[in-house]
Amino acid sequence: MPKVDWIIEELVTANRILAREGIVDSFGHISSRHPDNPQHYLLSRARAPERIEAADIMEFALDGTPVDPQGRAPYLERFIHGALYEARPDVMSVVHHHSESVIPFGATGMKIKPIFHMGASIGHEVPVWDSHDQFGDTSLLVTDMAMGRDLAKSMTSSPTALMRGHGATVVGRNVRHAVYVSIYLEVNARLQKEAMAMGNVKFLHPGEVDKVRERTGAYGINRAWENWCGRAGREMQPEQT
Ligand SMILES: [Zn+2]
């Protein structure tokens, strides 16, 4: 199977998993850098993630221009994806979502930090990007490259960022990794809220976070991916390298 077709199937599966696991609802999206052209990326047309099919996946230049739209309407917030691929050569997949447990942290400025082993993949602490700082009153959506680039600046080395009053953006070294971090960002935020209501929280030490992240690879991620594929009614593809 050509690599691009393999990645398109991965993206369809990733959309279904993110919907099944409650990270996206009718909104939110995941992309992959194009495997044959690092200056392009692959992202669905504007559609609820649970409904996405292979024919919905479109190709874009990093500035958000569609390569062959065929009448398909793109997401308004696609600029998040291109700006991160432009700023971060290490990034191969981007998720943008509005998962519920992260929203209170963006609104209060209370930092999300890893509270348990599985949460280490979110980084030492999740930065908060506030569109109002640079752009004033907006619809809060990232609708051009200037906003996308400003968001990307807030996550120069972080795998995650919250967007005040809006949601979160997550990057990964491949599609499965970006989904993994997105799911555990939501779980960590939910558990952190519960723990904070009980009293002082003892977060993971930075050295512990580093040790867990060093160990987070295909061995663990594929185990989760197989399980999530089953729950979402999708076949797990054999890995391509
Ligand atoms: Zn959004």
Side-chain angles (χ1 to χ4, degrees):
M1 180 188 278
K3 184 84 178 173
V4 65
D5 294 339
W6 186 87
I7 290 280
I8 287 170
E9 284 301 314
E10 286 282 277
L11 283 175
V12 173
T13 299
N15 274 285
R16 305 292 183 82
I17 287 173
L18 289 168
R20 175 68 180 76
E21 302 301 324
I23 308 305
V24 295
D25 50 13
S26 300
F27 302 94
H29 20 90
I30 178 167
S31 67
S32 169
R33 196 187 287 274
H34 196 294
D36 304 323
N37 180 357
Q39 298 304 309
H40 283 193
Y41 63 93
L42 300 165
L43 173 70
S44 172
R45 71 181 171 101
R47 196 174 194 196
E50 206 163 354
R51 304 280 158 235
I52 286 168
E53 312 277 352
D56 295 320
I57 306 296
M58 301 171 65
E59 181 176 340
F60 296 90
L62 293 191
D63 69 0
T65 307
V67 171
D68 179 18
Q70 299 171 17
R72 295 169 294 182
Y75 290 118
L76 292 176
E77 291 200 281
R78 63 190 179 281
F79 305 100
I80 293 169
H81 302 261
L84 277 155
Y85 294 125
E86 182 183 80
R88 298 269 306 263
D90 59 311
V91 167
M92 298 305 284
S93 181
V94 178
V95 181
H96 169 61
H97 63 76
H98 318 128
S99 81
E100 289 183 11
S101 299
V102 308
I103 303 295
F105 290 91
T108 59
M110 175 73 68
K111 288 290 169 65
I112 299 181
K113 294 191 278 191
I115 189 175
F116 76 135
H117 165 262
M118 302 304 288
S121 61
I122 67 175
H124 290 156
E125 68 172 35
V126 180
V128 180
W129 176 73
D130 189 337
S131 57
H132 201 273
D133 291 345
Q134 287 295 322
F135 302 98
D137 291 342
T138 65
S139 66
L140 292 153
L141 304 182
V142 178
T143 51
D144 58 37
M145 283 303 282
M147 292 182 81
R149 286 174 178 139
D150 196 55
L151 166 65
K153 269 194 254 171
S154 75
M155 48 193 304
T156 48
S157 59
S158 175
T160 50
L162 299 191
M163 301 148 84
R164 194 271 308 161
H166 179 179
T169 295
V170 171
V171 299
R173 53 182 178 263
N174 55 46
V175 168
R176 296 180 187 185
H177 183 230
V179 168
Y180 182 93
V181 177
S182 298
I183 288 174
Y184 285 108
L185 174 61
E186 164 63 22
V187 175
N188 195 94
R190 175 162 45 82
L191 295 178
Q192 187 175 336
K193 277 193 299 180
E194 287 176 14
M196 282 165 44
M198 295 168 72
N200 284 334
V201 180
K202 203 164 189 180
F203 293 98
L204 263 59
H205 295 284
E208 290 175 332
V209 173
D210 293 339
K211 286 219 156 81
V212 175
R213 289 184 73 196
E214 280 163 23
R215 290 178 58 99
T216 304
Y219 176 82
I221 292 172
N222 283 340
R223 182 157 125 198
W225 188 258
E226 183 196 19
N227 187 35
W228 291 328
C229 282
R231 286 159 60 91
R234 292 281 297 175
E235 289 270 315
M236 179 176 174
Q237 302 191 100
E239 270 195 296
Q240 273 199 6
T241 51

